[in-house]
Amino acid sequence: MKAEYDAFPSDIPFNYSFLDERYAQTYQTEVKTGKLLSIFAGLTILSLVWVYLD
C-alpha cells in the first residue's frame, strides 16, 4: 500500500493503524468515561441523601 501511496505526489505522510488498535483505544475511552460518570452519580446520590436526612 505504501508503494502505491508514494506513487502519487503528496505532502501528507503515509500513516496507518490497525483497526483492532483503534477499537481498543475507543473502548478504553468509553471505560474511563463510564467510571467518571459513575463517580459523579454516586456523589449526587450521597449529597441528596445527606440533604434529605439533614
Side-chain angles (χ1 to χ4, degrees), residues 4 10 14-15 18 22 28 30 34-35 37 42-43 49 51:
E4 291 181 25
S10 176
F14 181 75
N15 292 325
F18 294 104
R22 296 182 86 184
Q28 289 299 321
E30 295 291 329
K35 287 180 182 179
L37 289 175
L43 289 174
V49 168
V51 167

Side-chain angles (χ1 to χ4, degrees), residues 34-51:
K35 287 180 182 179
L36 186 63
L37 289 175
S38 295
I39 290 170
F40 281 117
L43 289 174
T44 302
I45 291 170
L46 286 175
S47 66
L48 289 174
V49 168
W50 183 54
V51 167

